[in-house]
Amino acid sequence: MHIRALFAALVGVCAAIVPVTAAQAAAGCEVTYSASTWSTGFAANFQIKNLGDTWNGYVVGFTFTANQQITQSWNHTVTQSGPHVTMSSAATVATGQSIWLGFLGNHTGVNTPPTNWRVNGVACTLAGQPPAVIAEPDEVTVPEGTSGSFTVRLSHPPAANTFLMMSISGTGVWASPPIALYFTPTNWSTPQRFSVVSMPDADTIDDRVVFTLSATGYTPDTVTFTQLDDD
Ligand SMILES: [Ca+2]
Ligand SMILES: [Ca+2]
């Protein structure tokens, strides 16, 4: 009951502060990624098409999702800091042209594709992937009386300001400060952080709540919060 009431309040706040802005700015690039994977290694090959203005030199950025480590690459200057990778070149790439990149790497567990693709700081979409809400991480555990958070972004730019809708199911009392729950044609790829507090309760149950994040035209995503009860 409490969480539904809080959510209704959030929606009211959001509606009040949506700015009036012109729709524009599609994604600046489209990534076609593939990888050949064996026991602990993989070879990645991918193509990136320039959908925006000419790149006079470019920096490709992406984030690994499963502890991958690049061991060898070619034709680009590569940096890796934890999961964050950049591959740069001084080459010029005109509108509509594509670049091809590749590297060899190591992985542990499932070799899931990288995420958060950008070229010169502008977000890319992934070819062949339907538009989706991307909420991370999937699971958050919070001791009773403390807070945790997750981030939400979109995989593809919306044509106009798009509300993020949130439905909640589960048990316990959870609260959150109000935030602007919408995406614009320019901020769609910027993760928006959402904090959730597990309110102290008198019971001894590790309560769980599932947030389902959705937007019209996008595949929804979920985040599960688990309370570590202290009674
Ligand atoms: Ca309790
Ligand atoms: Ca509890």
Side-chain angles (χ1 to χ4, degrees), residues 21-88:
T21 54
Q24 39 103 12
C29 38
E30 182 183 64
V31 177
T32 306
Y33 179 86
S34 67
S36 302
T37 302
W38 55 95
S39 56
T40 59
F42 68 109
N45 289 286
F46 50 102
Q47 174 185 351
I48 302 180
K49 185 175 184 179
N50 181 3
L51 302 179
D53 296 334
T54 296
W55 301 333
N56 294 305
Y58 58 83
V59 179
V60 173
F62 56 86
T63 303
F64 281 131
T65 53
N67 301 316
Q68 291 96 337
Q69 184 73 40
I70 293 179
T71 56
Q72 186 182 344
S73 64
W74 42 93
N75 298 338
H76 291 85
T77 301
V78 177
T79 67
Q80 178 168 2
S81 174
H84 305 292
V85 176
T86 63
M87 301 181 72
S88 56

Side-chain angles (χ1 to χ4, degrees), residues 144 172-173 198-207 227-231:
E144 177 176 336
V173 182
S198 163
M199 302 300 285
D201 57 27
D203 63 45
T204 59
I205 299 165
D206 290 340
D207 293 285
Q227 175 201 49
L228 293 179
D229 205 283
D230 63 7
D231 294 293

Side-chain angles (χ1 to χ4, degrees), residues 41-182:
F42 68 109
N45 289 286
F46 50 102
Q47 174 185 351
I48 302 180
K49 185 175 184 179
N50 181 3
L51 302 179
D53 296 334
T54 296
W55 301 333
N56 294 305
Y58 58 83
V59 179
V60 173
F62 56 86
T63 303
F64 281 131
T65 53
N67 301 316
Q68 291 96 337
Q69 184 73 40
I70 293 179
T71 56
Q72 186 182 344
S73 64
W74 42 93
N75 298 338
H76 291 85
T77 301
V78 177
T79 67
Q80 178 168 2
S81 174
H84 305 292
V85 176
T86 63
M87 301 181 72
S88 56
S89 165
T92 296
V93 183
T95 304
Q97 286 190 331
S98 292
I99 55 175
W100 283 265
L101 306 94
F103 58 81
L104 299 177
N106 293 327
H107 70 91
T108 57
V110 178
N111 188 31
T112 52
T115 184
N116 203 20
W117 291 89
R118 290 168 192 276
V119 174
N120 296 338
V122 178
C124 304
T125 59
L126 277 177
Q129 297 245 324
V133 174
I134 301 172
E136 297 170 313
D138 297 334
E139 308 253 355
V140 181
T141 300
V142 288
E144 177 176 336
T146 69
S147 66
S149 68
F150 60 93
T151 64
V152 187
R153 62 188 172 91
L154 300 179
S155 66
H156 291 65
N161 290 349
T162 298
F163 277 98
L164 182 72
M165 294 168 283
M166 182 162 58
S167 64
I168 306 167
S169 66
T171 63
V173 182
W174 305 80
S176 173
I179 62 164
L181 289 173
Y182 66 94

